[in-house]
Amino acid sequence: MPAGFRKYRFLLALTIGTMPVVGYLIGNNYYSLIVGFFGIALLDLAVGKDRHNPRQELLADLAEARFYRWILYVYVPVHLALLGWGAMVIGTGGLAP
């Protein structure tokens, strides 16, 4: 992966919140389980280890980088919305057994 695109792989964390919604919309209640446990594990095996860790002196700058901080700031509302959506689906009886 080119070094310039390396940080964007952390955006994949935001897809975790979409898996239950996608599974519900396509009618497969096990979509999150299948993609989460098997799909991501196989993708991890295919990509392999990242042997290009940042140098020790750059770690403090990375901890303060706005990009990574905003991923966390977006992650929380996504999960709160997912909880609200899930409560609505269960409350209306729209979840198939």
Side-chain angles (χ1 to χ4, degrees):
M1 176 179 293
F5 294 106
R6 219 183 219 172
K7 69 179 184 179
Y8 296 110
R9 66 182 172 194
F10 289 97
L11 290 173
L12 291 174
L14 298 175
T15 63
I16 293 172
T18 62
M19 287 192 294
V21 177
V22 170
Y24 175 78
L25 293 176
I26 64 173
N28 185 351
N29 292 336
Y30 295 105
Y31 179 81
S32 296
L33 179 72
I34 294 167
V35 172
F37 284 111
F38 300 114
I40 292 175
L42 291 174
L43 185 62
D44 187 38
L45 281 173
V47 170
K49 290 185 179 182
D50 183 10
R51 300 192 189 280
H52 303 286
N53 291 325
R55 294 187 310 266
Q56 192 69 22
E57 57 269 7
L58 295 177
L59 291 180
D61 293 334
L62 288 173
E64 296 298 321
R66 285 185 178 183
F67 178 78
Y68 303 110
R69 186 164 299 189
W70 279 103
I71 291 174
L72 291 175
Y73 291 158
V74 170
Y75 198 74
V76 171
V78 165
H79 275 71
L80 289 174
L82 181 64
L83 283 171
W85 173 80
M88 182 198 67
V89 168
I90 291 173
T92 59
L95 189 62

